[in-house]
Amino acid sequence: MIPFNVPPYCGREDAYVLEAIHSHKICGDGAFTKKCHAWLEEHTGAAKALLTTSGTHALDMAALLCRLEPGDEVILPSYTFSSTANAFVLAGAVPVFVDIRPDTMNIDETLIEEAVTDRTKVICVMHYAGVACEMDTILDIARRHGLLVVEDAAQGVMSTYKGRPLGTIGDYGCYSFHETKNYSMGEGGAILLRVDDPRAEVIREKGTDRARFLRGQVDKYTWEDLGSSYLPSELNAAYLYGQLEIADEINAARLHAWELYREMLAPLAEAGCIELPTVPEGCVHNGHMFYLKAKDITERTKLIAHLRAHGVQSVFHYVPLHSAAAGRRFGRFHGEDRYTTRESERLLRLPMYYGLTDSDTAKAAEAVIGFYQGGPAT
Ligand SMILES: *Cc1c(COP(=O)(O)O)cnc(C)c1O
């Protein structure tokens, strides 16, 4: 069976994790964490990058940095992971969901402004599959209404929008280094700050100024603000650093597999059997995900079973948040759900990971082609 995902591993991790062990510094913010911070700041241009214990915790930190008050509203897509909304609910805010664009599955930037109220404080975008949202329009809305912009760029490491790395365009950007992402430390993430804010390292260190103390800038550390323990262990940072060092190679390998899928499946798309992802002009993606869209949920269910029978594991993705129990309890949908539910039911993800071979990519694509032999299913 060709698995849907294999956690990234490049061979450098073992030595770096051992090095961390033998340095007798395994808690957070040691040498490997600093190397990861330097890599992230250098490669993204963010004023500040901080590793976190997960992408979820990066979002939680971003929500705390937004200084939300109970009843404040955050505009975000419903087609996203629970963490995108949870972060703001934990901070006391109300998620206001708006519809997505069917071509990229990203928030529809043309629907955001009509969802703005006098309680709106934040627009939180999510760059699905590492393909950027229409950020110029979104930043313009935010500027005119005095809103903060948070980017859930969990899937967007190494992607750009008009030359700007995802996660550095809004006020706060959140990366994930979960084992399902392009670069991994098992569980982990990072928050990027467009403008450095000393509150970030305080929030990350249990609400204390411990980071300043460790740099010798104060002679004791005390409780200063809200916070939690958001810094990962050096063992995790060491694992990640091995992959960041060869990020270009990992990125190129994923894009190669993505292009091969696209090439092999293009005739099916031209025949009207399936739809393939769109990458708008100005967006450079990172091969995070290869998805296709079947006609509807019935056809998708059959296709998943067909692929499984042919040795290919494929999976669907998000159940829209506004239709889930917590989404109904904590948030509301603004406007009409034209695409969120319908498109989410058609979407299917094919195997994609660092190390996926050309022959396995081709085998997966051929299994899809086999399903549609004889033209579009009716
Ligand atoms: C993976 C992911 C997250 C959560 O990241 P974790 O590191 O698993 O906590 C959040 N948002 C999106 C869009 C993701 O894909």
Side-chain angles (χ1 to χ4, degrees), residues 54-56 59 80-81 83-84 126 152 154-155 176 178 181 188 318:
S54 64
T56 301
L59 286 159
T80 183
F81 192 53
S83 300
T84 323
M126 190 275 275
D152 181 343
Q155 303 172 12
S176 169
H178 186 260
K181 301 306 200 291
Y318 306 125

Side-chain angles (χ1 to χ4, degrees), residues 33-54:
T33 302
K34 290 194 177 90
K35 284 180 187 203
C36 291
H37 289 171
W39 189 95
L40 287 166
E41 285 167 10
E42 203 173 293
H43 284 76
T44 66
K48 184 94 178 164
L50 293 167
L51 285 190
T52 57
T53 30
S54 64

Side-chain angles (χ1 to χ4, degrees), residues 96-117:
V96 176
F97 302 111
V98 306
D99 209 6
I100 53 167
R101 297 164 44 146
D103 60 344
T104 57
M105 302 300 281
N106 284 334
I107 192 165
D108 185 337
E109 68 280 359
T110 66
L111 301 176
I112 292 174
E113 195 149 22
E114 63 188 45
V116 173
T117 72

Side-chain angles (χ1 to χ4, degrees), residues 142-196:
R143 188 167 44 242
R144 284 189 286 102
H145 293 273
L147 310 176
L148 291 166
V149 175
V150 174
E151 295 175 74
D152 181 343
Q155 303 172 12
V157 182
M158 297 286 281
S159 294
T160 57
Y161 170 79
K162 300 186 180 174
R164 283 173 286 170
L166 303 193
T168 66
I169 303 164
D171 297 280
Y172 308 113
C174 303
Y175 284 170
S176 169
F177 300 120
H178 186 260
E179 74 163 39
T180 52
K181 301 306 200 291
N182 292 23
Y183 310 92
S184 185
M185 53 203 273
E187 299 279 356
I191 182 166
L192 307 184
L193 283 75
R194 192 170 49 78
V195 178
D196 193 10

Side-chain angles (χ1 to χ4, degrees), residues 327-344:
R328 288 201 302 269
R329 179 151 21 112
F330 297 124
R332 64 183 160 80
F333 197 96
H334 181 92
E336 189 195 341
D337 171 10
R338 277 183 74 192
Y339 296 114
T340 300
T341 300
R342 196 184 84 185
E343 299 301 299
S344 72

